[in-house]
Amino acid sequence: MPTYGCGAANLYPGYCANGDYDVYDYQSVNESKSLLGTQAQLNGKFSTAGIRHEFATGVSSSQRRDYFGDYVYEWAGTSNVFHPLITPQSDKTTGPVVLRRTDKEWSVFAQDIITLSDTVKLHLGLRHQHISRSQLDITGYDDSYLLPNIAVVIKPAGNWSIYGAYTEGLEHGGIAPKDTSNENVMLNPGKSEQFEAGVKAELSRDLAISAAVFRINKPLEYINASNTYVSNGDAVHTGLELSAQGKLSPQLSLGASLTAIDARQKNLADPLLEDKRVTNVPTLKSTVYLDYALQQVKGLHLNTTWQHAGSKAFSPDNKVSVPGYDILNFGARYVTRLSGISTTLRLNVDNALDKFYWRDVTQSSGGYLFPGAPRTYKLSAQFDY
């Protein structure tokens, strides 16, 4: 059952001063999605005029069918943060389940990796994609797209390379959240484009690093002032990625990554939203992973992970934001053989410090905050036959 607001104080979203909050019963019984995809591909290598080609071409298709009925979303009672209560289920039931949405796609694609010299490779690709979509009580959608991609990879030395790439993709369109004027309607597709340039290097046999800058333009989707979920303007993500992985010693392995993103809303007619941060995109994300192999116990590894996420914009006008967070995880794995079978035993403690944090945000139903999981213990065994 989802929770939302404090009805006693007419506060949405939020909690009552004494910790009370409203509880709602959400039901969508027998909702289902049927997915089917096929692909046929031909790969080959050949040379023309001394230039080597690695060529691939093929066709693909997919079909999606969504079945659901009118759902139930009813106030069920009140609970409390400090003294949780069990609330009764609503006596209402969901409506008849029928086919509400179909999405059919097919595409033809070709990709060629051209070796121009011992140090230069050119990647060329083109995809023709056709989408046919129908939604209950809504006019169907039928259109085709040409999606090119190109990249150049230069290896001045055997242990490092630089590259630049341009890619066009397709955003299939989000589904309007609950309580919007066009609820459950999937928006039309829209093109996205990405520019990226970077460098990769192997500094030694045990250490590899990479760095890249990128810019992604894609359709901006949000709930406007008329409470309609729309695609309007662009979400422009400009960022930097850094990563390193390798061994600091024969026993200690390291993995580290950092992504800094400036995500902005562009090309909007509304000056209150223009150039504001895109919602639910952290300004900074970083991860550090350490793995230590104990010499005293063969096959036993201890590891820890630190994760950081920066602040996020909660509302399109950026009047509300949520703070960043840091999470610490611990783990151990033991590799052995049981009855001749290779076995890996794992124990993980996620969010070891049991820190409360907001994992994600959404504008659905006036706005929700999703808390992250509390301290969680995981025990697993893997058998490789």
Side-chain angles (χ1 to χ4, degrees):
M1 287 187 174
T3 62
Y4 183 68
C6 169
N10 195 30
L11 179 62
Y12 302 96
Y15 292 91
C16 300
N18 65 348
D20 283 351
Y21 58 87
D22 294 345
V23 179
Y24 289 79
D25 181 18
Y26 174 79
Q27 300 179 38
S28 184
V29 179
N30 294 326
E31 178 180 346
S32 65
K33 295 178 175 63
S34 173
L35 301 172
L36 176 64
T38 62
Q39 179 168 299
Q41 183 170 313
L42 177 66
N43 297 332
K45 296 181 180 181
F46 59 92
S47 296
T48 57
I51 298 178
R52 298 192 304 274
H53 297 261
E54 298 175 53
F55 187 76
T57 185
V59 295
S60 65
S61 67
S62 66
Q63 179 174 282
R64 167 178 166 171
R65 292 172 176 265
D66 294 354
Y67 299 84
F68 55 91
D70 294 335
Y71 57 76
V72 173
Y73 190 81
E74 295 289 328
W75 181 82
T78 302
S79 188
N80 186 276
V81 173
F82 309 105
H83 306 287
L85 301 173
I86 298 177
T87 55
Q89 183 174 318
S90 171
D91 58 0
K92 295 186 177 181
T93 58
T94 54
V97 174
V98 297
L99 178 62
R100 292 293 187 100
R101 184 184 302 115
T102 62
D103 195 281
K104 298 179 181 180
E105 301 181 23
W106 62 265
S107 65
V108 180
F109 59 89
Q111 184 78 33
D112 193 10
I113 302 176
I114 305 170
T115 302
L116 300 177
S117 70
D118 292 339
T119 59
V120 180
K121 286 188 176 183
L122 178 64
H123 297 241
L124 296 175
L126 184 65
R127 177 182 292 269
H128 172 87
Q129 188 156 347
H130 182 86
I131 296 180
S132 177
R133 178 182 296 164
S134 63
Q135 302 185 67
L136 190 65
D137 300 329
I138 296 177
T139 303
Y141 178 88
D142 193 280
D143 206 352
S144 298
Y145 298 84
L146 278 178
L147 306 171
N149 66 82
I150 181 172
V152 177
V153 181
I154 303 173
K155 298 193 70 172
N159 61 342
W160 70 286
S161 61
I162 58 177
Y163 67 91
Y166 170 77
T167 304
E168 289 188 7
L170 194 63
E171 302 292 322
H172 282 72
I175 298 175
K178 183 183 132 5
D179 288 342
T180 53
S181 62
N182 55 339
E183 181 178 312
N184 281 328
V185 173
M186 179 179 282
L187 300 184
N188 290 337
K191 274 189 176 183
S192 64
E193 58 180 11
Q194 177 173 340
F195 303 85
E196 183 175 343
V199 58
K200 299 180 180 180
E202 295 181 2
L203 301 183
S204 69
R205 186 178 63 179
D206 295 325
L207 182 60
I209 63 172
S210 65
V213 293
F214 62 87
R215 185 179 179 89
I216 303 171
N217 291 11
K218 61 181 182 178
L220 176 65
E221 298 179 352
Y222 62 97
I223 301 174
N224 65 14
S226 300
N227 195 37
T228 302
Y229 191 64
V230 298
S231 177
N232 180 33
D234 300 303
V236 181
H237 297 66
T238 305
L240 168 69
E241 291 182 334
L242 303 173
S243 68
Q245 54 185 330
K247 287 190 174 183
L248 300 180
S249 74
Q251 288 77 43
L252 184 60
S253 299
L254 164 73
S257 65
L258 181 147
T259 303
I261 301 178
D262 181 30
R264 297 287 171 176
Q265 302 173 159
K266 299 287 189 178
N267 304 318
L268 294 165
D270 189 345
L272 297 178
L273 304 182
E274 181 69 24
D275 207 35
K276 296 295 194 299
R277 289 174 57 189
V278 176
T279 62
N280 202 37
V281 178
T283 53
L284 184 70
K285 293 184 68 175
S286 60
T287 301
V288 177
Y289 173 81
L290 294 173
D291 183 279
Y292 185 75
L294 269 70
Q295 291 181 307
Q296 298 85 347
V297 183
K298 184 179 179 181
L300 179 60
H301 292 248
L302 303 179
N303 58 73
T304 183
T305 305
W306 167 73
Q307 297 174 313
H308 171 80
S311 64
K312 301 176 182 177
F314 175 75
S315 55
D317 59 10
N318 288 189
K319 291 183 178 179
V320 180
S321 62
V322 296
Y325 59 86
D326 294 272
I327 298 298
L328 190 62
N329 307 318
F330 293 112
R333 75 179 186 279
Y334 180 55
V335 181
T336 186
R337 297 190 70 84
L338 297 177
S339 301
I341 300 173
S342 178
T343 304
T344 303
L345 305 176
R346 292 184 177 88
L347 172 64
N348 292 290
V349 184
D350 295 342
N351 192 6
L353 303 182
D354 200 24
K355 183 172 182 177
F356 180 84
Y357 63 100
W358 297 118
R359 173 179 54 86
D360 285 303
V361 305
T362 177
Q363 290 303 296
S364 177
S365 299
Y368 272 105
L369 300 175
F370 294 97
R375 183 188 295 122
T376 304
Y377 300 88
K378 298 178 180 178
L379 180 62
S380 66
Q382 176 181 321
F383 304 97
D384 297 315
Y385 295 93

